[in-house]
Amino acid sequence: MPRNLEEVAKLAGVSTSTVSRVLNNVSVVKTSTRTRVLKAVAQLNYHPNLHARTLAGGKSRTIGMIASNMENPFFFDVFKALEASAQASGYEVVVANTDYDPEHLVSSIRLMIGRRVAGLAVIVSEMDQELIQELAQSQIPCVFYDVGSARRNITNIRVDYRKGVERIVEYLYDLGHRSLAFVGHHSGLGPTSEREKAFVASVSRHGNDVEWRTVVDRDGLDGGRNATRELLDGGFQPSAIICVNDFMAVGVLRELRERGLAVPGDVSVTGFDNIKLSEYSAPPLTTAHIPRARIGELAFTALMQNEEPAVASGREVVIEPELVLRGSTGPAGRGAARRKVS
């Protein structure tokens, strides 16, 4: 039975305008009120119909995309490719940014369902099983990036992060690095924690021959700087720093430079993703390439295929990262030797 805005407001004990503000992610709503409204929305399984107007034949020409952090060029590159493919086929794309906030993810998904989008690309790390189940029941064609599993109306695009991180660790080990650090963010989330777990597993295989640390901060340039400060101020002196992504790695480079440490002479640094910025950092970043344009194109293709009942079976696409060597890495230098002696 369809629910309406008034029922949600009554159950949550708020006005209908407050419900609207919550559903539209207006920040003036108190956290406790927002939580109460979202609980009522979930309990009633309410989806506002924000996109009742469709083209002739009643078919929506809108694709939705939800991303964790549009400040990170990785997500923006995926969006650009998805949008280009959509426009070429007569579709528009609406995008929502969650900033890794699970509550924003919930409201964004329900807004997209309410818009009756023709398909939804969910490029996030903070997904949970209940939301996956809700999207499966909605029967909207969906593409997930590195969360959940393929099913009837859901395609999953997955990156083999473990293999990518293992290649980076072994490359640095072969260069003589025996003091390694990992800079990450949101370590409790699937795709990011997978990279951290791969790092720990890789260095652990070398036993006591390798010293290592992990440190996390917010995803972004400042997060990279802050994580490096915490690492170095804590007394650990790595000969190489492996970063969860290129965006944070650029912040790491900035902090090392301000401390008078040469890259790669004193410390080697690697990123992950191979965003355009990695080519123009100083020095250019060694990284693992993930084909963002291909991911965006694959996402659109999968959404269009999943619209057709005959092929709406869902599938998993696995992408293997490629190591890209640039100037930010080199043999463990004299600085590393001094640290080992001391």
Side-chain angles (χ1 to χ4, degrees):
M1 175 182 175
R3 302 293 187 172
N4 58 45
L5 198 70
E6 288 74 17
E7 290 178 282
V8 175
K10 182 178 179 180
L11 181 59
V14 298
S15 66
T16 55
S17 59
T18 297
V19 175
S20 295
R21 283 195 291 270
V22 171
L23 293 176
N24 285 285
N25 282 331
V26 177
S27 59
V28 295
V29 181
K30 292 193 303 184
T31 301
S32 58
T33 302
R34 182 183 297 276
T35 301
R36 198 161 68 248
V37 170
L38 290 176
K39 184 177 180 181
V41 167
Q43 187 173 333
L44 294 173
N45 197 26
Y46 170 69
H47 300 301
N49 188 356
L50 302 177
H51 199 67
R53 291 191 309 154
T54 55
L55 298 183
K59 184 178 179 181
S60 172
R61 306 293 291 185
T62 300
I63 298 293
M65 173 175 160
I66 302 176
S68 291
N69 183 10
M70 287 296 283
E71 286 187 356
N72 186 330
F74 172 87
F75 295 99
F76 191 69
D77 288 347
V78 173
F79 164 70
K80 285 194 300 181
L82 174 64
E83 185 181 49
S85 295
Q87 287 183 345
S89 299
Y91 286 79
E92 64 175 352
V93 179
V94 294
V95 63
N97 180 63
T98 69
D99 197 27
Y100 297 100
D101 184 336
E103 283 193 1
H104 279 190
L105 175 62
V106 171
S107 57
S108 294
I109 284 177
R110 289 180 178 146
L111 278 169
M112 293 294 185
I113 294 175
R115 287 181 182 273
R116 306 298 191 259
V117 293
L120 181 59
V122 187
I123 317 297
V124 302
S125 302
E126 64 272 20
M127 181 65 76
D128 64 34
Q129 288 301 316
E130 288 186 7
L131 278 176
I132 292 173
Q133 187 61 33
E134 185 170 334
L135 282 169
Q137 292 174 349
S138 76
Q139 298 185 5
I140 292 175
C142 295
V143 171
F144 291 161
Y145 178 72
D146 275 328
V147 292
S149 58
R151 57 184 75 188
R152 178 165 178 76
N153 63 316
I154 296 174
T155 296
N156 187 36
I157 300 174
R158 186 172 65 82
V159 173
D160 191 343
Y161 292 114
R162 183 166 296 276
K163 186 165 290 185
V165 172
E166 286 174 353
R167 285 176 176 170
I168 291 173
V169 170
E170 293 311 308
Y171 163 69
L172 291 171
Y173 186 85
D174 289 344
L175 288 175
H177 294 278
R178 299 295 184 267
S179 180
L180 304 177
F182 180 87
V183 167
H185 71 87
H186 295 88
S187 59
L189 302 179
T192 53
S193 67
E194 182 69 18
R195 278 168 269 191
E196 182 177 338
K197 289 176 183 176
F199 168 79
V200 173
S202 296
V203 294
S204 296
R205 280 197 291 270
H206 294 290
N208 295 330
D209 195 31
V210 175
E211 294 181 284
W212 56 273
R213 299 285 188 281
T214 63
V215 61
V216 299
D217 206 279
R218 184 179 179 85
D219 182 26
L221 303 173
D222 289 339
R225 292 189 69 189
N226 294 337
T228 307
R229 286 194 193 112
E230 180 181 340
L231 183 70
L232 299 180
D233 290 347
F236 189 65
Q237 296 179 307
S239 65
I241 298 176
I242 298 171
C243 301
V244 69
N245 60 41
D246 297 335
F247 201 33
M248 294 194 76
V250 173
V252 170
L253 291 175
R254 171 73 179 272
E255 182 63 23
L256 292 174
R257 184 165 59 247
E258 292 195 353
R259 288 176 178 252
L261 293 170
V263 176
D266 294 316
V267 184
S268 286
V269 177
T270 68
F272 210 102
D273 292 341
N274 195 29
I275 61 175
K276 195 69 175 177
L277 184 60
S278 67
E279 297 180 52
Y280 291 90
S281 62
L285 272 171
T286 289
T287 186
H289 176 69
I290 297 179
R292 285 94 56 211
R294 183 184 170 211
I295 290 170
E297 293 161 2
L298 283 171
F300 180 75
T301 300
L303 292 177
M304 293 302 97
Q305 289 177 339
N306 283 353
E307 275 201 303
E308 304 299 329
V311 294
S313 58
R315 64 193 179 105
E316 180 165 279
V317 180
V318 180
I319 294 173
E320 189 171 307
E322 299 176 6
L323 189 58
V324 179
L325 303 181
R326 297 197 182 103
S328 67
T329 52
R334 291 191 301 272
R338 286 197 300 271
R339 286 192 288 270
K340 196 72 175 178
V341 170
S342 62

